[in-house]
Structure formats: C-alpha cells, structure tokens
Amino acid sequence: MDNYPPEFILQHVPLMAVFGLGTARDLVEQPTSTTNSVQSSSIIPKSQSRRSSLSAASIPISTRQQLSRTLLALLTAKNQVSVWGPGKNASAAFHIVAVDKNHQFPPRKPMMRPPAHTHHPNMPVAHSSISPLTPGSPVHPDGLIPPIWVRKHREIIPSVVVGFYDLWHHTSSGPIQEKEEVSPVQEPLGTIEPIEREKDNNLAMEINEKRKSLLERGIKFSVVILLRTQNMDKSMDDRAFLKDQTIDERLSYIRKVSGLDARNPFFVLPPSQQGDLHDFVINLQKSLYDHGLNYYREHGKRIKKKRSRLPSPNGNMRPSLSEKPSTSPQPLSIQGWMIRYDYKLATFAEFRQDMETAINYYESAYNLLVDLFAPQSSITLGATGLPIRSRRWTEARILADTISLKICKLNLYIDSPSEALAQLNKHVSTFRNISNTWGIGEDTFEYWAWLSKQYRIFADVLEIATKSGFTIPDPAKISHNTTSSDFRFSISNNPNIGSGINPSMVLQHPGFYYFMAAKYNSLRRKNFLTLEKFMKKEGFETSVLPPQNILEAEQSVDHSTLTIELLTKSYEQFKAQKTGRMTLYMASEIANTYLDAEKYETALKFFERIAKTYRKEHWHTILESILRCSLVCAKELGTWEKVVEYLVELLSDQFSISNQKRIEIHNELMDVLFKMKIANLPELRQVIIDMDEINSFLTCRVQFKDDTTFIGAETLFQITFTTQAESPPIPLQFAFLRFSYNDSYFNHYFRNKKNGEKDNTKLEWVDCKNCLQEDIEGEGLVWVKDVNLNFSKGITKVFEGSIEPKESGDLQLQAVSFGFLTERWKVELHFNLKNTREEHSKRKWLIGDFDSKGEVTKPIYSVLNGTGERTSIKITQKLARLDIQAKHSAPALLDEHYPIELTVVNLEQEEVKAFLNAEIVTDAPSNSIDSEDFITLDPTTNVSNNLKDIDIGVIPAGESVVKIVYVLGKKSSFSRTLQLTVYYASTSSVPSTPFPARGWIEKKEDFRIHFIAPFVFSFNISPQSEIFTTGNSGNSLEWVEKHLLVAKITTTSPWEISISDIDLILLDQANAQTKMEIAASSIEIDNDFQEQELTLMDIKKLNIDIGLLVIQWKRKQQSSVVKDIEIPCTESTMIVPQLIRKKTEISAFIRIPPNPKVGQLFTLIYKIVNWTSSEKKIHVIIEVNDSFVFSGYKQTHFSVPGMGEYCFRVNCFPLIAGKMKLPKVKMVRRGEFEGDEEVVNIISPGYKEGIEEDYFVIFVRPKIEI
Amino acid sequence: MSDIKIQSIAIIGKQNNPLYIKNFSVFHPDLKYHYIAHTSCDVIDERVGAAGPEAADTYLGLLYAMEDLDVYGYVTNTRVKFVVVLSVTNPVKNTVMKNLFKKIHNVYINQVCNPFYNLDGKKSIVSKRFVAAIDAIGITPSDDDVSP
C-alpha cells in the first residue's frame, strides 16, 4: 500500500485551517520566549508527543502561549491521516492545519465566477498550475490526475478558516505577540477607553480584510476571540466577567465593523480549563462542519457543470490520433477529461462524506479508465491512447488500482462487504484479461507481483476496517438466512438461483486475502526465477524481456521474505480467529517458503512444530510431505540424527508410498548408518528415537503371563513385535534388543545371532529364557542371550523370557529398545512402556516350545484373561498354603479349662516346620492387663493369656497336626477371640532368623468363643429360733439364733455338669456347725438344699457375712476334643449374701405339731416373747380357711409383760388331707398412739419363712393311710 | 446445476482424523486437499459449536473460499465430517449441496453398517464398495432430484 501515492488512498475529511495559534511546529518545539517564571515550570518537553502534551494539560492555563498550544493540540489531536476514516458514524471532524496569521492561500484559477474584465486576450482561460492545460504541470499535456491535486485539497486549501484573536487590553502588548506583562494597574470597568476602541477597530479591520480575501475563494471564515484572565479582576469569577457590559459592547463592535454577519460564526472563548477547551474544540468543529461540507458541495457543482460541457467522446478527436500514432504527447482526450472530472467529483463527494455518491463517481471514473487500457476502447472509438510502460500508462495503472481500492473501502464504510469484494474481483479479472493482451499476463512475474499487491492492500484495508469496528459477516448466516438484511449476499445478485450461496460474494476475514497475496507472491518468484533461467540461455530474444529497470528492481526484491511476511500476517489473522489448523497450514506454507529460500534451520523449526498435530490426528499424507521437507532441511544442515529419525518414520507404511520409494528410503537409512563417512562427526553418535511419538513401522506389545507372581517364582513374559505389511521393504537386522525394567537387575540384552537360513515364518516364537548374566560394556550387568533379530515385513516375532523376582513390589518393564550399532552410530528405536497405551484387544499368549529335536514347534495362540497390555507385574510374598481349623464344644463355660482342638493342615507341596502363636482377647472394654483369662497347653497350669512360638513341629505335605489349647475364662461372660498365628517355612529352607523375618510364611486365623456362666445361684435365709443359753463357763448367757440358709444352684449350661463337691466356707463371723446335705445326689443340681445352723458370735452386729459357696465341678461328658486327657475339676465360687438381722422388740414363734391328721385336733402354740421391759399389747386376727376349723376368737388381744412370755393357742381341726395352709394368724403390736403399730413377725423353726401373703403350709395326712 | 465441479471429497472422523480423502482434480496435488480437509475441521467445529448442541441442520454451508476453491461442510450426528471442495464457478444452490452431502452420507452409512468396520478406528476406509461409491459421486454429480 505504501507504494501508492498516499493522497490516492487516504481517507478524505474536510480541511480546516486555523491561525493565531502558532503552527504545528510550535507544538513540539520548546518555547523559547519564556518571560514568565510560571511558564518555565510548565514547559512541555520536546520529546513529548502531541498526545502526551494533552495529558499533561491539566496544569492551569495561565499564559497566552500555553492556551494556544493546548488549543492547537486539541484541534489537531484527531487529525485523520489514516487510510480508514471515521466512516459515516463518525462525529463531525475536520482535518485541521495550523497556518500563520499572514498565510496566503494559493490563488485558485479559474475563479468560480470569473469576472468578465479579468479575461485577458493573452490568457484565454486561466488554468490551475497543475492542470493538463498548463505547461509545466506534472500532467501536461495528457495526464489524468496528479496526486498533488488531491493533496491540494487535503492539506492546502481549506474549506473553513478560523482565526484566533486576542481582545486588546492594557496588559497585553499585542494580540499575537507572546509576551506577557503583568499590569499592576486596576482598570476601572464599565467604560470603553479610547485606546481600547482604537485597538478594537484595528482588530476589526484586520478581520474584515481576511474575511474578504477568503470570501473570494468561497472559503468560510470564522473568528474566535480569546479573552484572558489577565485583564479581569482576579476577585471576580469568569461568569461575572462575561457579563461585563464593556466587553460585550466591544465584542459586538468588533463584529459589526469587521463585517461578520450572522452566517459567519463568531466565537468568544473565555478563560477556561482543559475540559472546557475540549468541549469548545468539539463544538467549534460541529458548528463549522456544515460550512465545510457546503464548500465541497459547491466544488462538486462546479465540476459537474464542467463535465456536462464536455463533448461526446465519440467525436473525431481520438480516431485521428490512432490513425496517426505519434510519439509526441497529445493533449488529453475527452475520455481523459471525463475521468478527471469524475475523479474530482468523487473526491469532493468523499470530502463531504457522501459515500454513495463517491462510490458512483469513482466507479464511473474506474470504468472509463479501464477502457483506456483496453486494446479497443468501447467509449472512445479507436485504439488505446496509452502505450504500455509509458509514464502515463504507469500513472493510470496506479490510479486504477487506487480507485479500485477506494471503491472497496467506501463500500466497507457503507457496510456492503460483498460489493467491496466484488470490486476486488472485478479489478483482478479485468486486469488479468488486459494484462494478457499486453504480454505481461499470467506467465510473467509482473502480473503476479501486481496481483499479490492487490490482495495485500485489500487485506490491509480489511484488517484496518475490522480493527476500526467493521465486522465481517458470518458466511454461515449468509447461506442460511436469506430473508434477513444479509439477503443481498446470496440471492439478490442472482435472483433465479433461490436460496444458496455465491462464494465469490462472501467476504472473508483478511487472513484469506493475505494468504492469496502470499500465494501470488510465490508465483511471482517462480515466474521470475524461470525468467532468470531463461535469460541465462544463449540466444534468447531480448524483446520479450521487460525493461531493464523493472528487471533490476525485481532482482533486488527478496521474494521469500515478502511471502513470509504475508503468510505471517495471514497466520496472525487466523490465529486471532482461533482456527488452529488453518494457522498450521500457514505455518507449513511459511516453512516451505523458508525451505525454498534455503533457510533450512528456520524451516526445520517450523516443520517440527507443525508435524506433531498432523501426526496426532493421523493426517499421514500431510505428515509425509512435512517429513520429506524436514529430511531435506536436516540433510542440508547436516543434522544426521534428525535425518535418521525422519527416515525411520518414513519407513512406516502409514504413508502411501510406493514400494520402490520405500526401498529407497530404506537404503538411504542404511547408507547413512553403515556407509556414510561424515566428517566432523564425534566418535559415536547416539540417537534414541521414541517410537511411540512417531509413526512406527514396528509395534511392540508386552504381556506378563500373570497379573501377580511370588518371590522366587518363575515369571513369564512375552514381547511381541509386529512389522507392518509393507515395511520394512527389505529385511532389517538389528544389532541388539534391550528390555529395561524399573529394577535394572532384570534388564535383558539380546545380541543378534545371524542364522543363515531364511525364515519366512509370519509368526515366530523366540525363546529368550535361560539367559546368562554378563557385564556388557555400556549396559552394565544384564541378562544376555543371542537370538535372531532379523525383521522382514509383515511378520510377528514373540520373545518369551522369564525372570525370578527377588523382592515384593511392582516390577515394570519400562522400555524396549531395538538398536543399530555401527562404527559411528548407536541408534535406538525406543518403545516407552511407562505410559499406558490404548489397547482393548484380548490378552493373548503364544505357546511355543521345542520338540524333541530341539526345533521350535509351530506356535499357537491361547487367550489369557483380561484385555490390554501387562507391562508390570505385582510381586508378593507367597500366599500361605496352610489351613487352621478349630474344634470345640461351644459355648465355653466360665472357670473351666475349655479345650480347643487346633488342626493345622499343610497344603504345601513340601513338608514344613511350623510354629504357633496364640492369644486370647476379651471383648470387654476393660483393659486386657486385668484380664484373668488364661490360655495354656496344659490344663493343670495357668500361665498367661498368650502363647508364643509353640513349636508345632514338622508337618509333612498334605498332612495335618492337632494341637489342643485350653482356654480359661474368668468372671465376665463376654465373648473372647482366640487369635492364632501359624508361621512356617519349608523344612529345606528354614530361615536362620526368627519370625517375623524374610522367609517365614505367615497364616493368621481368629476364632470367636462364646462364654457363659455355668451356674446361677439364688439364696434364701430364714430365721429359725433365738434363745439364750448358758455359756460353757456357766456364768454367761449366750444368745443363739438359728437361721435356715437355702441355696438354689441352677446350671444354664447346655452341657451336663457333674459336681464333685459343694462347700460352704464360712467366714469368721459365722462360726457355725454346718450340716450339709446334698438332697439330690443327681448330677443335675437343679435343687440342692443345704442346711446349716449358724451360731452368731456378735449380736451387736446386724449384718453378718456368711461365707463363700465353692463348687467343684466338671463337665459330665468330656469335650469331644479331649478324649484321653483327664481334665481336673474346676472350682466355681459364689459369695453367699449377708445375713441381715433386724433388732426386734417382740418375737413370735410358732410350734407346729408334727404329723397332723384329718379329724385329729391339734393345737398351734404361738409363743410371744417381749424383749423390752415394758408391757406390750398384742392384737391378734385369725383368718379362717377351708382346710381347718378352729376354735376361739377370730379377733382377740392380750398383753405381754416386760421381759415376759405369753402363749397363745389356736386349736385346729384339719378337714382336708394334703398340703394345707394353716389359718393365718396376724399379730399386731399396739402402740401408745395411733399409727404406732407393728406387725409381729412369726418365726417357725424348721420352716422356711413365709413370703408375703403365704403362710406356713403343713402336710395333713389323711384319716386312713392308703 | 450440473455445472458444479467437485474437486475433492473428504470424510473426516470425529477425532478429526481423515477417513477418506479423494482428489478428483487434476490441477492440484492430493496434499492440497488434505490440507483443505484438515483446515476445514476448525471451521466445522466452530460452526457446530456456534449452532449449539441442538442444531438440526447438518449442512454447514460454505466453510471458506480460498484461491479458486470453495469448501463446503457437512457434519453427521456422530460428528463425522464431510468436506466437499468445489472449484469456483457460479453460485451454488443450497439444495444441490445438501443433496450431494446426503448422497455421501448414505454411502458412509452403508460403510458403517458393515459389522466388521471399526467405528472408532483411526484407519482410513479402504472398502472397495465405498471408494467406488464416492468416486461415482465425485465424477458425475448427478442432479436427478434437482429441478432448476
């Protein structure tokens, strides 16, 4: 774009000239006339740009110079010198130039209305100095439009002029001079002094003169009067000052005298701050904008008139020229004038921002101009007036290009992108046709250079447009939404087609056009290179060559750099569009261009970067081309490692290369590796090619046969290599194959064993077991074997190896590498197995073996469990193959030696030596230290709650050993857990270190044991009698109470229990003669009575501990576990509850006569003893029942004297035989007052105490014994 | 409307891997169409993404025009992409393109119906029947059901 005159390209906006503010140069120049100290602090540095001076403008504007600078900066800030203008939406904006006050605008000729008297006979029509009619003009005599004409209107002749003037005051020495004097004098306000009047008059005259001179040219003149703070009362504010009558009067005077009427805007700028100035500048432009547009409209009208006066181009002017072709320049043709006027009209329309009109005129000019190039003009009859490569021809081409660009751009302004694109297409196709007739067509670099340029400037404009807010329509919407405003894109041009899309009308983003430009530029290079080659031949015809100067210019062009620049622009565009693959395409184009330009290093960098994506997405055709190019680059650069890498990848049959080509690649690789002597190579070049990252001709799969293995067990693995159907084309011999494990101890290294026989087997099983450990240089200590590493195409080789793991953990086969070893090279094809690879097929295992002759049998595949690969295996300790069984007769009873029979079964293949650990753990939350439980091997000893390292002995394979342990649970009947641990080792390899250590195999087993208490006790103590007896010594009295203790012992055990002995161990307090009777000698002690007489030693003590009940017992039936071992009786102990005595005042005893008989009267004697010294009254109530008849009162009472006795008799006559309840006698001691009553307890010796409502029961015998 | 000239037909898998690319042109090498097919993936993804998950229309219209080639796109419900490259001629009616893509889609469906065809595979389609059917479409773009 820079090659075109900027005037033809830049956006036109109305021009405004300002004076009185200094010139633009002042903006950047440091003010020199600093008379004020204030000013020096606010100097704008030279280096600062216009914009930065704006931002620094917050400082108070105190001087005239500062004000001018600020105003000028604001005015010129928005000067549009760009290609892309404000467009139709932009606010009114001028291009503003600052001129000197005395600047004389160039006179314009002819005048708009040339007065008759100016017609001089010698000068028939006055022409502009740049008119074709003026000799000395750049376009004389037949040029069209010179750029200078556009510049004249863009920069020199303004449409509006604004003058900035100061209102004179005492303090200001002159309006323009930038000297400041601070006047100490305060002027009285309200009167106009004569000197002021005089100065004002001068100012008005000056303005008037200016106005007149500009009016002649049709230029609007406007005045801005700057008021200053210096000439006002500092105490008054601005508004008050404005209202000042004097100033108003002076201003209106000036206005009147200077002849500025209402149509000439007149501004007054009061002293103000930055923000106000900004608004003022905008308002100034806004109010003058229409005047500016009017100016250009007038110009347009004038030109239109001129154009209409032109004669028809079909006149006889041109034919005469074409008939007599002459080398001397001819005057401009009518058609030329038409172009000239159309172009001017378009330019003025553009100046007044009338884009539609501008497009129309530009198009008109364009069509006329294109016609000039045609061999046969259709407008002006006859041949073209433009000889090829003449100066005018070149100018006209530039004009055509720029007009076309203008049309494109203006169409973008008015938001019709398809028209813009159409113009580009039109321009390109028109000139393609014309160029072909000129002989500078599609086979010349000139044409392509031009075409590339067209697309580039179009892309440039489009890019600028999009940056300025233009949006490129979405092509998807165009095709689908034919009824919307996008209608015109699709069908308006082709109404018959209906819903559809016209690709040539779809404007795309600039990246595409940059790319086209780049493409065409590379064609330009190609054509130029062809031409150069052609020129080197002898005897070529020089006449077909373009002129020497063009050739020379072309020779100096760096085509590749230009192409790359264009491609990079395109790349950036696509990148911005987030179309990653398109950018890759661009990158590949860039790389190819670098390659063409022999910049191999850069090219290679690009190729490497883009290859990844194509490889990942399986675009092999593209990848192949990239690899081939990379190969070329790498060779040129001498990076042979890369060469090897590319060649290896190219071997893959993913690329559809012919076999012959593949053989070439193969041979090339072999040559590089084996034959080539490359200078400056280090001793040994190591290359590791990661085969997972490239398209490999060889695939590798790994299978461990099992998922887990044990230490020391033989662990098999198979590594399967498959070559592709078409690759390698020639059998390939690798020098070595290496398996690398995460534990380097297991690394394998196979050397190639050349066997002469040719193997054509498609599937081969290779035995890699029985390797020998060797120290290989560069590899360390590895397992080595020599096997055949020959690979031809379409075969599968399965390498089966075995390892014996030494430690538990995960063992992983991390990498497999094939290698070439030559004098200079060590190339490894590396398969990384660490990363999981996608594989969903069933796991397979190739079964191969040797037959009797030592030949490998024909292998067969078998299927393993699972899918995918197994590159790692879990190694664990061998699982204990031992069984522990426990036999016991649950539930266990507390206090007993509970036998548990443990059977340890050896399921191993060999005899083992085993040891046992056992522990009994109570479930109770209490801490185990208090536990009184025991576990023992011998029921006669109670040791502890655990057993340690009990030697079970040697168990032969498949046999078992029985061990009995006894468990003794005490107190609580919680469940217990028996924790058993058996550890063992093969008798052949008993570790020297004790368990736990390596070598021991451990088996744990837990058993739950439920415990219950063997007995349930219930006790009953009944008083029997109490009596004083004389002591042994004779002179003491003894108090004897007799009590009956009944203990009921029940067993809850489901097992029969035999009791050997029950013993009541009395404590000291109860010194008693005990008589014990076991009522039921049955082993079932369901009811066991025990009678004891207790002699109580101390009557003062009320509660007396009796003692312990101790039972010696054992199970009646010995546990099935224990047959021949006598388990001793165990002892259960129970505390007998305390005897609770009550201190009584009155005791009542009943003597029940023995053997009552029906029909025989008997007497119940109640003996009541009063232990107190006072008389007690007893109330008696007798309840009758059906069993007896009794005589006497039902209710009666008597008194018992102090320390005395009373006998109360009840005569009973039994009526019914059997167990009968006696008539109940209730005795109540009467108290002295109400409520002081006490039921007297009746005690019957030999009888149990009645409970609650029960009374004594006797057995009444029948009258007649049966 | 038989004036459309098919330059290339490309079938691209859902992971943007090429399934089948056929060059019907004599002016450009295969590589060119591979590049075009590959770059089309971006535009297709963008269009499909912009249309949202419920977009009904599988025909994506003109993807882009570059040099003398116009690239049209189509995406199946299983995100398999079809790309047809035309040489620049006249405006193309949507229905013509839609029919063309429908035909390609049918051929692809026939291929997928083969139970031995691995749908998720990244290998190119090599079926002879498929290749022949695509060739038939490319060489004679019939317009039986299109009335101009």
Side-chain angles (χ1 to χ4, degrees), chain A residues 475-476 479 494 497 499-503 508 512 515-516 579-582 585 588 614 617-619 621-622 625, chain B residues 16-18 21 31-32 34-35 37-39 41-42 47 59 62 64-67 70 72 91-94 122:
Chain A
S479 59
N494 302 280
I497 285 171
S499 168
I501 189 157
N502 185 354
Q508 304 180 87
F512 286 97
F515 174 67
M516 303 277 261
T579 42
R581 293 185 181 85
M582 199 62 105
Y585 180 38
S588 84
Y614 291 117
E617 296 190 341
H618 300 259
W619 293 80
T621 310
I622 298 174
S625 96
Chain B
N16 293 327
N17 52 312
I21 294 171
L31 181 63
K32 174 97 188 168
H34 279 261
Y35 271 120
H38 188 247
T39 49
C41 295
D42 283 332
R47 293 271 169 91
Y59 173 60
L62 178 75
Y64 64 88
M66 196 184 252
E67 296 171 71
D70 300 332
Y72 292 83
V92 176
K93 209 170 160 182
N94 277 346
K122 293 204 172 137

Side-chain angles (χ1 to χ4, degrees), chain A residues 1182-1185 1188-1194 1210-1213 1223:
Chain A
I1182 300 169
E1183 287 172 14
V1184 192
N1185 63 21
F1188 300 96
V1189 176
F1190 86 98
S1191 66
Y1193 302 111
K1194 273 188 170 178
V1210 179
N1211 295 320
C1212 290
F1213 185 79

Side-chain angles (χ1 to χ4, degrees), chain A residues 390-403:
Chain A
S390 66
R391 181 168 150 236
R392 295 297 172 214
W393 178 83
T394 316
E395 279 175 14
R397 287 207 70 182
I398 289 172
L399 190 61
D401 289 348
T402 50
I403 292 176

Side-chain angles (χ1 to χ4, degrees), chain A residues 443-511:
Chain A
D443 50 356
T444 62
F445 69 85
E446 286 178 279
Y447 170 73
W448 294 110
W450 172 82
L451 191 60
S452 171
K453 195 168 168 184
Q454 296 312 303
Y455 276 100
R456 186 198 176 137
I457 57 171
F458 185 74
D460 280 342
V461 165
L462 200 55
E463 187 186 349
I464 294 165
T466 42
K467 272 185 195 155
S468 314
F470 175 77
T471 46
I472 291 161
D474 184 0
K477 299 239 169 71
I478 297 169
S479 59
H480 290 152
N481 195 358
T482 50
T483 52
S484 75
S485 60
D486 289 321
F487 191 71
R488 62 178 180 274
F489 299 137
S490 53
I491 61 166
S492 65
N493 303 298
N494 302 280
N496 297 330
I497 285 171
S499 168
I501 189 157
N502 185 354
S504 59
M505 302 297 286
V506 178
L507 183 73
Q508 304 180 87
H509 71 80

Side-chain angles (χ1 to χ4, degrees), chain A residues 18-24 26 64-65 67-69 71-72 75 98-99 164 178 226:
Chain A
V18 294
F19 63 84
L21 294 175
T23 52
D26 294 342
R64 171 68 171 88
Q65 196 181 7
L67 177 66
S68 305
R69 292 157 64 87
L71 267 176
L72 194 55
L75 282 166
V99 294
F164 287 81
E178 294 170 346
L226 300 173

Side-chain angles (χ1 to χ4, degrees), chain A residues 1164-1215:
Chain A
L1164 295 169
I1165 303 159
Y1166 290 87
K1167 190 167 103 182
I1168 294 102
V1169 184
N1170 183 3
W1171 301 104
T1172 61
S1173 53
S1174 59
E1175 189 189 66
K1176 296 288 175 195
K1177 255 188 181 169
I1178 306 293
H1179 185 79
V1180 179
I1181 305 159
I1182 300 169
E1183 287 172 14
V1184 192
N1185 63 21
D1186 297 341
S1187 314
F1188 300 96
V1189 176
F1190 86 98
S1191 66
Y1193 302 111
K1194 273 188 170 178
Q1195 284 196 33
T1196 182
H1197 57 86
F1198 50 83
S1199 297
V1200 186
M1203 299 304 282
E1205 284 183 9
Y1206 181 83
C1207 277
F1208 174 71
R1209 286 179 173 81
V1210 179
N1211 295 320
C1212 290
F1213 185 79
L1215 296 176

